[in-house]
Amino acid sequence: MSWSLLTDDWRIKLLALGLAILMLGAVAFSQNPPTTGTTTIPISYTVPTDPSTGLSPIVLLDPPNHIPVSYSGLADVISKVTVSNLVATVDATHAKPGDAVKLNVVVKALVNITVQQPAPIAVKIEPNKQVTLQVSVAAQAAPGWSINTAKTYATCPGALIPNPCTVNFVGPADWEKGLSAYVAYPPAVNLGTIDSPNYKINLENSSGQVDLADIPTTPQAGLDVTSASIHIEALPGSTSSTVPLLDSLPSHGPAPGYRVTDVRISPLLVTITGDPVALGKVHSITLPGVDLSGKTSDATFQVQISYPPGTNGPVQIASVRYFISANPNVSPSP
């Protein structure tokens, strides 16, 4: 073959080759064109760890667990994209507590596509704290019975000695305001002794019941022990009685030449409730004395009722009226 056959009109031949390649590409792209897609994928979070405690110093409150993602690529690749081909991560190792902390979401593809990175998310972050709580037993006595609170307690699983159960709660510091732990025994107690295992440990704070499933957190807030056994002791007997209120001598009498002629208390009787043993010791309640210094006429006082230990009552204030008049045997001071 003559070399001139290849070199003659080489520009035209080169153009023809280019057109052939373009046509081949056009045919290929028509069968596998570039396209786009969207899906929603789960987010994984990384939080810091305190080496001394093994706990994270921060906790994310209700962070998004999924995020929508857009991507582009050739049709045959896009058609095979699933949530397993995409990974979304959030690095919160340097985040600080705040109400709306912005965190970047990084999405990586495990296949040959181009991912559009999503916008940052805003998350509430609080200090993560641990607190130790003693578990109490919430039980209601049936009519004619009373709970012996001194001998009623919860025991943690595996405890060799039936001591009151203590648990550790780890979670947002704001949840720990007024936080308490308890197990509830719903039936009305009408037996002397009750022992029963496997009762859920509940949490309550100053805002009310704490439901750990209600607001997801990262890391997950929770208790190291979730159930306890209960021991309840109850006493038969009356849980209420009615006793009179009695006045005390005034801490200081009325003005010279005057005397107290009568005292009237309202209410005269009060109903008290409590442990039957404590109730059996209460026959009356004496009100504190008042100061009548300088008084020359009737005087009324609102006096706090002090209920004896182990008892209580619905009435907290008593009205005490002192009737004061001149002493006929003494000349009043001018």
Side-chain angles (χ1 to χ4, degrees), residues 45-58 91-95 128 219:
Y45 292 84
T46 303
V47 295
T49 300
D50 185 341
S52 62
T53 63
L55 302 175
S56 172
I58 62 170
D91 184 357
T93 54
H94 300 291
N128 195 36

Side-chain angles (χ1 to χ4, degrees), residues 52-67:
S52 62
T53 63
L55 302 175
S56 172
I58 62 170
V59 58
L60 284 60
L61 275 68
D62 198 15
N65 54 11
H66 287 80
I67 194 166

Side-chain angles (χ1 to χ4, degrees), residues 20 80 96 206 218 228 281 283:
K80 299 175 183 178
K96 303 297 180 183
S206 55
T218 300
K281 300 177 182 179
H283 304 290

Side-chain angles (χ1 to χ4, degrees), residues 171-256:
D174 189 56
W175 291 10
E176 297 176 1
K177 295 176 181 177
L179 188 65
S180 61
Y182 69 94
V183 292
Y185 184 78
V189 178
N190 57 2
L191 296 174
T193 302
I194 296 174
D195 287 288
S196 189
N198 299 326
Y199 280 82
K200 177 186 175 183
I201 298 177
N202 303 286
L203 292 171
E204 189 173 81
N205 61 18
S206 55
S207 298
Q209 192 82 12
V210 177
D211 187 349
L212 297 178
D214 189 40
I215 304 180
T217 63
T218 300
Q220 182 61 48
L223 293 165
D224 60 346
V225 177
T226 58
S227 65
S229 301
I230 61 171
H231 175 83
I232 300 175
E233 293 192 16
L235 300 171
S238 175
T239 57
S240 67
S241 65
T242 302
V243 297
L245 296 177
L246 305 178
D247 64 292
S248 297
L249 290 174
S251 58
H252 291 90

